[in-house]
């Protein structure tokens, strides 16, 4: 069992889920990842879940200090998501037609079901789901992401807000995003 000192000395873990379709989104934040490395060194871990460096033709993490976990089968996905011990899930997105029209909120639901808060840019559909500083975190653009993260790590972690947002995300996902008859309208309204 971990003691409070071990938990306190453990680096804050920012998780990024890598899929077959988000390499460009991740590469878009390369400079921000390097800046996080420079600012926080060993106090913040960047953990890329689902990343296979040997298959990365574009070298999307060039110059970034990171850790990774290779993709796992669907059967082991949630078990590995839990084992990663993310403190925060970052969903990097480029504001483009694909991302705005993809209607993809699954990462929020997956993370929320495990009490992991999400941070992402103010963009549809996440902007319709996340109330910043309540059940996740929304920043305005890539250009302000690192400053927003600095404030989050300095203020909101110490105030317990990150963990509280994770708990609220869990409550939100369990209450409003299950597939009961009552919630079909809630799920549908995310996309209206």
């Amino acid at each position: 069992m971990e003691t409070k000192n071990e938990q306190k000395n453990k680096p804050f873990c920012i998780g990024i889920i890598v899929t077959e379709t988000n390499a460009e989104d991740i590469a878009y934040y390369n400079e921000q990842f390097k800046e996080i490395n420079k600012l926080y060194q060993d106090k913040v871990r960047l953990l890329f879940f689902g990343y296979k460096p040997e298959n990365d033709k574009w070298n999307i993490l060039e110059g970034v200090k990171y850790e990774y976990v290779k993709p796992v089968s669907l059967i082991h996905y949630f078990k590995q998501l839990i084992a990663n011990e993310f403190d925060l899930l970052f969903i990097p997105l480029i504001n483009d037609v694909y991302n705005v029209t993809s209607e993809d909120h699954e990462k929020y639901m997956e993370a929320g079901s495990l009490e992991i808060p999400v941070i992402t840019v103010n963009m549809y559909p996440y902007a319709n789901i996340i109330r910043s500083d309540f059940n996740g975190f929304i920043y305005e653009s890539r250009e302000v992401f690192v400053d927003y993260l600095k404030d989050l790590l300095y203020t909101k972690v110490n105030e317990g807000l990150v963990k509280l947002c994770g708990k609220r995300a869990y409550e939100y996902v369990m209450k409003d995003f299950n597939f009961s008859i009552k919630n079909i309208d809630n799920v549908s309204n995310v996309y209206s």
Side-chain angles (χ1 to χ4, degrees), residues 1-148:
M1 185 167 155
E2 282 187 346
T3 66
K4 282 189 178 190
N5 282 343
E6 287 171 328
Q7 288 177 341
K8 200 172 195 176
N9 293 329
K10 198 188 304 187
F12 188 86
C13 183
I14 300 174
I16 301 95
I17 296 174
V18 181
T19 67
E20 293 177 8
T21 60
N22 72 347
E24 189 176 353
D25 296 301
I26 292 169
Y28 183 69
Y29 280 86
N30 183 284
E31 290 302 316
Q32 286 71 27
F33 294 138
K34 288 192 262 189
E35 193 170 345
I36 291 166
N37 288 160
K38 187 174 159 185
L39 285 169
Y40 296 103
Q41 298 169 9
D42 61 349
K43 290 178 178 67
V44 172
R45 288 173 59 211
L46 296 175
L47 179 56
F48 292 83
F49 175 35
Y51 183 58
K52 291 172 79 174
E54 64 274 12
N55 292 353
D56 183 356
K57 300 172 192 158
W58 301 280
N59 207 9
I60 62 175
L61 296 174
E62 182 175 3
V64 177
K65 181 183 171 203
Y66 64 91
E67 296 175 36
Y68 69 94
V69 174
K70 289 189 176 195
V72 296
S73 67
L74 190 56
I75 294 169
H76 299 289
Y77 179 78
F78 283 97
K79 187 176 185 178
Q80 185 60 55
L81 198 55
I82 292 166
N84 289 335
E85 296 184 335
F86 294 154
D87 293 300
L88 184 67
L89 178 68
F90 174 44
I91 302 174
L93 296 169
I94 297 173
N95 192 349
D96 63 11
V97 173
Y98 175 78
N99 285 333
V100 173
T101 60
S102 71
E103 298 186 352
D104 182 16
H105 63 282
E106 291 161 357
K107 287 181 187 138
Y108 179 83
M109 290 178 52
E110 293 167 357
S113 71
L114 299 172
E115 295 188 15
I116 303 168
V118 165
I119 183 171
T120 193
V121 68
N122 187 3
M123 201 171 88
Y124 175 85
Y126 294 106
N128 290 5
I129 298 169
I130 298 172
R131 287 182 24 217
S132 201
D133 291 357
F134 183 77
N135 64 345
F137 302 95
I138 298 278
Y139 60 92
E140 288 304 315
S141 67
R142 174 182 68 167
E143 292 70 30
V144 299
F145 169 65
V146 173
D147 286 335
Y148 185 92

